[in-house]
Amino acid sequence: MSVPPMTSGELPANRYVRPAAVVAPSLEAHPQRVWAAWQISVDRKLRELGNVLENWDSYGGSPVSAEAIRVARELVFDLAGIPGLASPLVAASPEGSVGLAWTSGDVSLEVEIRDDGEATWTWVGTDPDRDRHGRVTSLAPFVELTAIDTARAGA
């Protein structure tokens, strides 16, 4: 399956909504912009997920949906505005979704983008009472993770 270029546009309210100021559809659309090496690497990995075939995991895994890849690429594009954000792990799930995971010390931020494009996040740390989750509707969890990294680096 070929992954179509990303396009801007409105998504249903239960999906990740790009900030209004962001109008660029893909990394390729802005070659003059300086991209973090992790964004280029993650974008490449996401495009490669479009080549995953049925039963890719030998347990009946579904191909990764073009919609999940498109939304993941939009999210990666939008994360360019957060200085210091590290590279996530990128993975496919057997249900055809995309997983992105960031880890900072004992804190983990995991994003799952389902085959229909709905994106959810889970924040896990050493204190179960502070663990939380929700739909990805803003970049706030990523900003918070970067703030933790910055505080640790300065300590």
Side-chain angles (χ1 to χ4, degrees), residues 9-134:
E10 293 184 19
L11 296 173
N14 67 334
R15 298 193 186 153
Y16 169 65
V17 178
R18 303 181 81 203
V22 177
V23 294
S26 71
L27 300 184
E28 296 88 359
H30 288 280
Q32 73 280 9
R33 186 169 182 174
V34 177
W35 297 103
W38 73 263
Q39 288 177 296
I40 295 167
S41 175
V42 168
D43 186 60
R44 185 178 310 115
K45 289 176 187 173
L46 289 169
R47 285 184 281 126
E48 289 170 1
L49 289 181
N51 297 323
V52 170
L53 302 174
E54 188 78 33
N55 198 33
W56 59 270
D57 61 355
S58 74
Y59 293 99
S62 298
V64 178
S65 81
E67 180 66 2
I69 293 169
R70 185 190 67 74
V71 172
R73 290 178 77 205
E74 285 186 355
L75 180 60
V76 167
F77 178 89
D78 294 346
L79 293 174
I82 303 176
L85 188 65
S87 180
L89 296 173
V90 179
S93 81
E95 294 80 27
S97 63
V98 172
L100 303 171
W102 289 262
T103 302
S104 176
D106 56 0
V107 176
S108 174
L109 175 60
E110 300 170 4
V111 174
E112 179 186 13
I113 302 156
R114 294 188 343 193
D115 62 345
D116 65 358
E118 182 175 344
T120 58
W121 59 270
T122 304
W123 181 280
V124 179
T126 57
D127 180 359
D129 293 332
R130 295 195 53 177
D131 293 351
R132 53 197 190 274
H133 64 278

